[in-house]
Amino acid sequence: MEYNELIAKIQHQPVDTPDTDAILAGMRRKMHRSRQRQALVAAACLLLAIVPLALPIADTTPKPTLAETVSATLPSSPNDLPAPLSGYRNSLRNHQIHTVI
């Protein structure tokens, strides 16, 4: 085949190019998927940041302090002060004794 015949044959064949609408629709789909993915990642990161902060707040059961635990183990008479207050009074007495000495 001659060169001119090849050129003529190629010029007469239809070119298979996508429409502008098809190209734009594909780009819109890609952008939409990309935005969805970004929103999903942002929501997951936000959830991972908020959940650990919210969990300790949800645990509202009162727990006894160390002083309350110790007071519960000691025997008490009706006229005695609770152990933490008794210990405070004893520490004041000890401080007064040391300042006299």
Side-chain angles (χ1 to χ4, degrees), residues 2 15 31 40-41 76 82 92 95:
E2 292 185 16
V15 179
M31 294 298 291
L40 183 64
V41 168
S76 63
L92 286 176
H95 179 68

Side-chain angles (χ1 to χ4, degrees), residues 50-73:
I50 289 176
V51 167
L53 296 174
L55 286 180
I57 295 170
D59 186 21
T60 57
T61 56
K63 295 178 182 164
T65 62
L66 181 61
E68 291 171 339
T69 306
V70 169
S71 294
T73 60

Side-chain angles (χ1 to χ4, degrees), residues 20-99:
T20 306
D21 294 335
I23 293 172
L24 290 175
M27 290 302 293
R28 285 188 194 110
R29 277 194 302 274
K30 284 182 184 179
M31 294 298 291
H32 183 69
R33 283 189 210 124
S34 175
R35 286 189 190 122
Q36 279 183 334
R37 197 175 306 122
Q38 287 175 350
L40 183 64
V41 168
C45 288
L46 189 62
L47 186 65
L48 288 174
I50 289 176
V51 167
L53 296 174
L55 286 180
I57 295 170
D59 186 21
T60 57
T61 56
K63 295 178 182 164
T65 62
L66 181 61
E68 291 171 339
T69 306
V70 169
S71 294
T73 60
L74 297 174
S76 63
S77 61
N79 295 332
D80 280 347
L81 290 172
L85 296 177
S86 169
Y88 179 69
R89 186 177 62 184
N90 289 338
S91 69
L92 286 176
R93 189 179 304 133
N94 289 341
H95 179 68
Q96 291 170 351
I97 291 171
H98 284 298
T99 54

